[in-house]
Amino acid sequence: MKKQLVKWSQSVLKRLLNMDQKHVIEHLKKKGLTVGNNFHMQEGCIIDGAHSNHIVIGNDVSLAPNVHILAHDASTWWFLEHTRIMNTTIGNKVFIGAGSIIMPGVTIGNEVIIGAGSVVTKNVPDNCVYAGNPAKFLMHTNEYIDRERAKMNAENTFDESYSESQNVSTEKKEHLKKMAAKYGAAFLK
């Protein structure tokens, strides 16, 4: 009974967090935020609410937890009595890793991956992987994807039945963990 209650509580909490995020995005859209189709934002993300009309997010974009997207810089206020506002754009088919910060005025191109913990201070061209503080070019996205695809095999590639959202069994969790250890990574649909 206790185990069922915990699962139910986690499920309700997850739905509430997702509803809250959807509410936030809808509120920001009313304030001028532009967001394309297939946008996913995990918990803890902050999209500059005061200046969301200066932010454009394309199609097929995922923000991992605690990503910040900014369009203003208030550091000028005490000196100029004005806040600096800049347009921030994120292209199509972009993944931004956990804890990353996208600074005001940055344009991120299409088919881009930003590594976790990055601070993006300059524009990022199409088909690039950037990471670090400040974020720097690591390789082209297609090179990274080809490299990762080459690591996939029948033993370390898993379907949705192994996903936490499917209440995966302990046995499946252990199997996934074992294959990740054996091959250095596992791939989950």
Side-chain angles (χ1 to χ4, degrees), residues 151 153 155-156 178-186:
K151 295 176 186 176
N153 62 55
E155 279 193 309
N156 72 349
K178 183 179 176 183
M179 292 301 104
K182 180 178 178 180
Y183 292 100

Side-chain angles (χ1 to χ4, degrees), residues 36-99:
N37 298 318
N38 202 22
F39 173 67
H40 301 280
M41 180 175 82
Q42 292 188 13
E43 64 277 352
C45 292
I46 297 172
I47 296 175
D48 196 335
H51 305 285
S52 57
N53 60 315
H54 292 271
I55 299 172
V56 175
I57 299 172
N59 298 317
D60 305 315
V61 173
S62 292
L63 307 181
N66 302 314
V67 168
H68 294 207
I69 300 174
L70 303 173
H72 84 283
D73 172 8
S75 68
T76 56
W77 180 258
W78 293 114
F79 305 98
L80 303 175
E81 294 184 2
H82 287 79
T83 296
R84 188 169 65 129
I85 311 296
M86 301 172 79
N87 298 330
T88 304
T89 304
I90 297 171
N92 299 315
K93 210 169 184 180
V94 173
F95 174 83
I96 302 177

Side-chain angles (χ1 to χ4, degrees), residues 4-188:
Q4 289 173 324
L5 182 59
V6 168
K7 281 186 180 181
W8 178 81
S9 297
Q10 289 172 338
S11 173
V12 169
L13 182 59
K14 188 173 184 177
R15 282 194 305 250
L16 286 173
L17 285 172
N18 286 336
M19 282 175 36
D20 189 41
Q21 289 170 338
K22 288 177 185 174
H23 179 270
V24 167
I25 293 301
E26 290 307 314
H27 175 73
L28 292 175
K29 282 175 151 179
K30 287 178 185 171
K31 292 176 72 178
L33 173 69
T34 301
V35 178
N37 298 318
N38 202 22
F39 173 67
H40 301 280
M41 180 175 82
Q42 292 188 13
E43 64 277 352
C45 292
I46 297 172
I47 296 175
D48 196 335
H51 305 285
S52 57
N53 60 315
H54 292 271
I55 299 172
V56 175
I57 299 172
N59 298 317
D60 305 315
V61 173
S62 292
L63 307 181
N66 302 314
V67 168
H68 294 207
I69 300 174
L70 303 173
H72 84 283
D73 172 8
S75 68
T76 56
W77 180 258
W78 293 114
F79 305 98
L80 303 175
E81 294 184 2
H82 287 79
T83 296
R84 188 169 65 129
I85 311 296
M86 301 172 79
N87 298 330
T88 304
T89 304
I90 297 171
N92 299 315
K93 210 169 184 180
V94 173
F95 174 83
I96 302 177
S100 293
I101 301 171
I102 311 305
M103 296 299 288
V106 167
T107 295
I108 295 176
N110 299 315
E111 299 184 355
V112 168
I113 297 170
I114 304 296
S118 296
V119 178
V120 183
T121 60
K122 295 187 177 7
N123 292 347
V124 176
D126 292 349
N127 185 33
C128 288
V129 177
Y130 269 61
N133 180 4
K136 293 184 177 24
F137 174 79
L138 298 180
M139 66 183 67
H140 289 99
T141 304
N142 58 334
E143 291 174 65
Y144 173 73
I145 296 304
D146 288 345
R147 187 178 76 188
E148 294 304 304
R149 184 179 291 116
K151 295 176 186 176
M152 295 172 75
N153 62 55
E155 279 193 309
N156 72 349
T157 304
F158 300 89
D159 64 19
E160 298 92 346
S161 69
Y162 281 78
S163 173
E164 284 293 326
S165 65
Q166 302 298 317
N167 295 322
V168 64
S169 69
T170 303
E171 293 81 21
K172 284 187 174 183
K173 286 180 185 180
E174 287 304 314
H175 182 65
L176 186 66
K177 186 176 176 180
K178 183 179 176 183
M179 292 301 104
K182 180 178 178 180
Y183 292 100
F187 297 87
L188 182 61

